[in-house]
Amino acid sequence: MKSPLAWHRLWAIVLKEFVQMRRDRITFAMMVGIPVMQLILFGFAINTDPKRLPTVVFNASPSAYTRSFVASMENSGYFDVLTSPATVAEAREAMAIGDVQFIVSIPPDFSRQLVRGEKPALLLEADASDPAATGNAISALNSLNQSALQHDLKGPLATLGTPPPSFEIRVQRNYNPEGITQYNIVPGLMGTILTMTLIMMTGMAMTRELERGTMENLLAFPVHPLEVMIGKILPYIMVGYIQVAVILIAAYFLFSVPIVGSLTLLLACVLIFLAANLTVGMMFSTIAKSQLQAMQMTFFFFLPSLLLSGFMFPFRGMPVWAQFIGEGLPLTHFLRIVRGIMLKGNGWTETWPNVWPMLVFMVVVMLIGFKRYRKTLD
Amino acid sequence: MSSESAIDVHGLSKSFGDKHVVNDLNLQVGKGEIFGFLGPNGSGKTTVIRMLCGLLTPDAGSGTCLGFDVLSQSAEIKKQVGYMTQRFSFYEDLSIRENLDFVARLYDMPNRKQTVQAGMEDLGLMDRADQLAGTLSGGWKQRLALAACMLHRPRLLLLDEPTAGVDPKARRDFWDEIHRLAEQGISVLVSTHYMDEAARCHRLAYIAYGHLLASGTPEALIDQSGLSSFSVKDNSSALAERLRKLPGVQQVVAMGNVYSVSGQDGALIEAGLAGLPDVRFERTDTGLEQVFIQLMENVQDAAP
Ligand SMILES: Nc1ncnc2c1ncn2[C@@H]1O[C@H](COP(=O)(O)OP(=O)(O)OP(=O)(O)O)[C@@H](O)[C@H]1O
Ligand SMILES: [Mg+2]
């Protein structure tokens, strides 16, 4: 028996989709434009190394040393030491609102202990709800520790000023214990942009035929549902790769995000992720009755992906049921893969545990889509 | 009609919800035959054609199309049938050439470029080859659709109102082409609302409310109707009302200042007309239009 699938028909669909894509300039521009715009926003408008963050200092041990320390905090450029609020409680409230980023508490006998070489500790409370905003300031403070007092500790005390540090800064991160680094943004951005744009585009692929009335003709042609589905997916794989290229290049130059692992492996995993998302779009497309419905379904899928994949919230911080759902989503696995390859230099063996779930997902979704594909106008 | 039939279906039925759109329909179309499919709007013509090429699944009935089972072998049927949809359903964001090229690729036509070229030349589409289909006028869209459904040289053409909105010259060319294809053994099922086109078919079927009301050659249908027609000349404009009131008169159509009067009892009408002062009349041939209007009025009377 002859295979029901034929290359010439698949190719006919692919070419047709390409021409249509080329004609639909706005959509095409959007698909390339969204990643660029997002990255520019993340790269420039959203400063991941902000300066002059509002800081309150409670100095219970005023001395030349502590005054000099506070002055050098300001000189570092990261801290803007405020004169109010006056009490720790008020300061905490101000932090809850977001008016204060840091609270520095210097304990009463800090100066005395310092002179005695007892390595006193001061407390830095940081609003780490946005870790990207506080990370650099904290590390700046840590290095101040090593240099700030070198001028003041002279003579017999000079030995205290050289490393190891003469006092300890205890950092307490409020609100966000896991502390996501800014590198998370790029893999996350790549995954979410691809999920949203690609599902939306393919989601409209069949409904557009339905809405424009071209479905009747398409059904009257001797073309197999799989040929149509694959033929409509292939062009978007290319679009997906363009998006990935834009994001990776920009990530490299804007954020200097390293790519420690193999780029080939990364791009191979991207292919599976693209295909998984595109089949979701196709599946929606076979269920939705209009392009609007397809859009709504896209968001229905996109939101849990955004929230439960570990992009917005640390995956391990989620309740078990949410983790369970998250494990089912391609974006979750893709994020782990991309972080693993780009930041940790993971190879194929470490990557595979996150590849097969995407493949399973894809096959299941493809089957649903195939079952749901309209073969008649009934 | 040859022994081998292109379409042979029995008891075809289809309903949407609880609305019966096609009821127990039998249809036979012979090889090389041009079969006209007529009926008022919403009578189920499009639905029947869609069932024939597998776009809709019949609720009941069975039969074959080009020897393939309409229920189980629609994939085979689609390969050999050219279906032209009533509503334009080619890609408006593709040019004429691109649309035809798409079709040619789907059917894996040998010498694709020449085939597309020839298809365009046949229907005079050359000047507009690279115009986007969406920007074509209605008639040109129809021509594109026609060219496309004939491109893969199907053995059976299912044409759903192919000439709606096409100018008279193009319509005549189109029907000449249909006859040429029929001579080559291609069968054609064509739905239309134009009587001159109905007259050019070998056989006709008339359906209303999903029921087959009459079928046969145009001449046979006219004979079966038993209608007698007269053309009546007069300058008085109030004549139409007076003609309608005459005994036996069933239809009165004004055409300029000539009236066409018809009814089943010719003698009775003739007597009535003779009684009218200063009116000139003569017997004429009954046209298909009168026959179909008669059929339609009969069903409306019979309908609950
Ligand atoms: N998908 C559908 N769902 C519900 N009703 C339908 C559907 N398709 C057709 N119908 C109904 O079936 C009836 C027959 O429609 P069909 O299109 O076959 O008529 P037609 O004879 O082709 O009419 P026209 O001359 O106007 O083209 C109509 O009353 C129509 O409303
Ligand atoms: Mg119709």
Side-chain angles (χ1 to χ4, degrees):
Chain A
M1 168 116 194
K2 244 175 62 182
S3 154
L5 301 184
W7 285 112
H8 63 89
R9 291 196 293 263
L10 182 65
W11 188 233
I13 304 273
V14 170
L15 284 182
K16 184 210 87 164
E17 291 292 320
F18 263 124
V19 176
Q20 289 188 305
M21 203 188 289
R22 213 180 60 217
R23 298 270 149 78
D24 191 359
R25 293 244 173 79
I26 294 183
T27 309
F28 191 76
M30 208 181 72
M31 285 186 294
V32 181
I34 286 180
V36 173
M37 193 190 72
Q38 296 269 38
L39 277 161
I40 288 175
L41 282 180
F42 273 88
F44 297 112
I46 300 169
N47 191 351
T48 53
D49 187 20
K51 302 272 168 86
R52 301 194 55 76
L53 299 168
T55 306
V56 190
V57 177
F58 295 102
N59 190 352
S61 172
S63 69
Y65 304 131
T66 54
R67 273 191 292 276
S68 151
F69 173 72
V70 172
S72 58
M73 269 176 72
E74 281 202 287
N75 287 340
S76 76
Y78 283 105
F79 303 94
D80 178 19
V81 178
L82 308 173
T83 47
S84 65
T87 68
V88 177
E90 279 172 5
R92 293 233 169 86
E93 264 173 49
M95 181 183 277
I97 302 167
D99 287 347
V100 164
Q101 191 91 32
F102 296 106
I103 303 172
V104 179
S105 305
I106 304 176
D109 47 0
F110 182 85
S111 303
R112 203 150 35 91
Q113 289 180 340
L114 182 70
V115 175
R116 288 199 203 133
E118 286 175 9
K119 291 207 175 188
L122 62 78
L123 177 68
L124 173 77
E125 288 174 60
D127 175 357
S129 57
D130 184 357
T134 50
N136 286 349
I138 292 173
S139 48
L141 194 64
N142 272 317
S143 62
L144 276 186
N145 176 7
Q146 311 200 347
S147 59
L149 300 179
Q150 279 177 7
H151 302 293
D152 298 301
L153 298 170
K154 287 192 186 117
L157 297 175
T159 49
L160 297 172
T162 51
S166 50
F167 62 93
E168 182 189 348
I169 295 170
R170 293 206 180 124
V171 177
Q172 177 182 327
R173 286 193 173 87
N174 296 345
Y175 307 133
N176 186 348
E178 199 168 88
I180 310 166
T181 72
Q182 62 157 315
Y183 289 162
N184 267 351
I185 292 170
V186 171
L189 207 59
M190 183 148 92
T192 45
I193 290 173
L194 290 176
T195 303
M196 191 179 73
T197 53
L198 293 181
I199 294 185
M200 196 147 71
M201 291 304 127
T202 37
M204 296 202 234
M206 295 311 299
T207 40
R208 186 167 49 226
E209 302 262 356
L210 210 59
E211 274 185 14
R212 294 189 184 167
T214 50
M215 195 66 183
E216 187 170 3
N217 242 338
L218 196 59
L219 289 176
F221 291 129
V223 55
H224 193 272
L226 271 182
E227 290 162 354
V228 178
M229 288 171 69
I230 298 173
K232 279 173 174 284
I233 282 176
L234 286 179
Y236 289 101
I237 296 241
M238 191 204 73
V239 174
Y241 268 118
I242 294 178
Q243 292 183 320
V244 168
V246 169
I247 294 170
L248 283 182
I249 291 169
Y252 192 77
F253 289 107
L254 289 181
F255 292 91
S256 332
V257 176
I259 302 178
V260 181
S262 148
L263 187 63
T264 323
L265 179 60
L266 180 65
L267 292 181
C269 294
V270 163
L271 178 65
I272 298 167
F273 178 66
L274 293 180
N277 277 316
L278 292 170
T279 45
V280 174
M282 277 310 293
M283 193 258 288
F284 286 166
S285 199
T286 57
I287 295 173
K289 295 208 162 49
S290 65
Q291 297 195 54
L292 185 67
Q293 278 187 7
M295 285 273 255
Q296 289 167 335
M297 285 171 148
T298 304
F299 279 97
F300 184 77
F301 182 80
F302 178 65
L303 283 179
S305 291
L306 194 66
L307 299 175
L308 302 182
S309 62
F311 174 59
M312 293 280 266
F313 310 115
F315 195 80
R316 281 182 202 87
M318 300 191 308
V320 178
W321 62 265
Q323 291 195 17
F324 188 76
I325 299 175
E327 288 289 348
L329 301 168
L331 183 58
T332 310
H333 299 284
F334 184 66
L335 290 185
R336 293 180 192 157
I337 291 174
V338 178
R339 282 176 198 159
I341 295 175
M342 285 177 72
L343 309 177
K344 301 182 196 159
N346 281 354
W348 175 245
T349 17
E350 296 95 338
T351 306
W352 171 246
N354 282 310
V355 171
W356 69 259
M358 293 202 297
L359 287 173
V360 172
F361 177 90
M362 183 170 84
V363 171
V364 170
V365 172
M366 191 93 185
L367 282 178
I368 298 175
F370 181 62
K371 275 254 177 285
R372 293 277 331 195
Y373 184 90
R374 285 159 198 271
K375 293 173 199 77
T376 63
L377 289 169
D378 288 275
Chain B
M1 178 176 162
S2 89
S3 57
E4 192 189 340
S5 49
I7 298 176
D8 187 5
V9 288
H10 300 276
L12 226 49
S13 298
K14 179 80 191 173
S15 47
F16 294 109
D18 52 4
K19 192 161 143 210
H20 296 280
V21 174
V22 177
N23 285 299
D24 198 21
L25 191 97
N26 301 322
L27 205 61
Q28 280 79 39
V29 176
K31 187 166 180 287
E33 189 173 44
I34 302 174
F35 191 94
F37 203 30
L38 294 99
N41 291 135
S43 54
K45 302 182 296 292
T46 301
T47 309
V48 171
I49 295 178
R50 283 176 176 168
M51 284 194 281
L52 290 175
C53 61
L55 288 188
L56 286 174
T57 335
D59 295 339
S62 63
T64 59
C65 202
L66 295 170
F68 298 109
D69 190 284
V70 284
L71 294 176
S72 59
Q73 291 179 294
S74 58
E76 294 304 316
I77 295 176
K78 285 174 187 176
K79 281 186 192 154
Q80 308 206 16
V81 163
Y83 170 44
M84 177 175 164
T85 57
Q86 178 171 8
R87 180 185 159 188
F88 181 74
S89 39
F90 280 89
Y91 297 97
E92 303 214 329
D93 46 356
L94 260 52
S95 69
I96 289 183
R97 192 193 301 277
E98 286 161 345
N99 267 304
L100 293 177
D101 198 63
F102 171 62
V103 176
R105 278 181 197 276
L106 275 186
Y107 287 100
D108 202 17
M109 298 296 294
N111 306 324
R112 202 185 69 247
K113 288 230 158 63
Q114 289 95 305
T115 311
V116 169
Q117 193 76 10
M120 288 195 295
E121 275 164 13
D122 279 353
L123 283 145
L125 292 164
M126 282 313 296
D127 296 343
R128 295 171 171 76
D130 295 308
Q131 191 175 337
L132 293 189
T135 65
L136 292 170
S137 73
W140 285 103
K141 282 184 180 167
Q142 290 298 95
R143 292 198 203 190
L144 162 60
L146 266 173
C149 76
M150 297 198 286
L151 202 64
H152 64 291
R153 305 198 180 91
R155 286 167 55 205
L156 169 67
L157 283 171
L158 300 173
L159 308 173
D160 200 354
E161 298 188 29
T163 55
V166 173
D167 66 52
K169 168 79 169 65
R171 257 174 64 194
R172 177 168 299 173
D173 292 347
F174 164 70
W175 273 90
D176 290 346
E177 173 76 7
I178 294 281
H179 274 273
R180 207 173 52 74
L181 291 171
E183 278 160 24
Q184 294 169 12
I186 291 172
S187 320
V188 183
L189 175 72
V190 52
S191 81
T192 179
H193 291 295
Y194 295 119
M195 290 307 132
D196 57 326
E197 294 188 350
R200 291 192 69 175
C201 293
H202 296 135
R203 274 197 320 137
L204 299 172
Y206 187 85
I207 69 168
Y209 302 103
H211 292 276
L212 185 69
L213 293 187
S215 69
T217 61
E219 301 76 36
L221 285 176
I222 292 172
D223 282 352
Q224 279 164 26
S225 74
L227 286 174
S228 306
S229 300
F230 303 86
S231 89
V232 183
K233 272 207 184 102
D234 187 79
N235 295 330
S236 143
S237 56
L239 191 60
E241 273 317 300
R242 280 157 60 204
L243 289 174
R244 270 199 193 96
K245 290 201 182 96
L246 286 181
V249 169
Q250 286 163 315
Q251 294 179 38
V252 177
V253 184
M255 287 174 285
N257 45 16
V258 179
Y259 294 88
S260 164
V261 174
S262 43
Q264 256 148 340
D265 192 340
L268 187 64
I269 298 174
E270 200 159 7
L273 286 173
L276 291 176
D278 45 75
V279 157
R280 285 186 292 132
F281 68 92
E282 59 185 347
R283 237 176 217 275
T284 53
D285 290 340
T286 299
L288 280 167
E289 181 166 316
Q290 278 108 326
V291 175
F292 292 136
I293 287 175
Q294 179 82 5
L295 282 169
M296 207 148 114
E297 281 174 352
N298 288 350
V299 237
Q300 269 162 2
D301 293 345

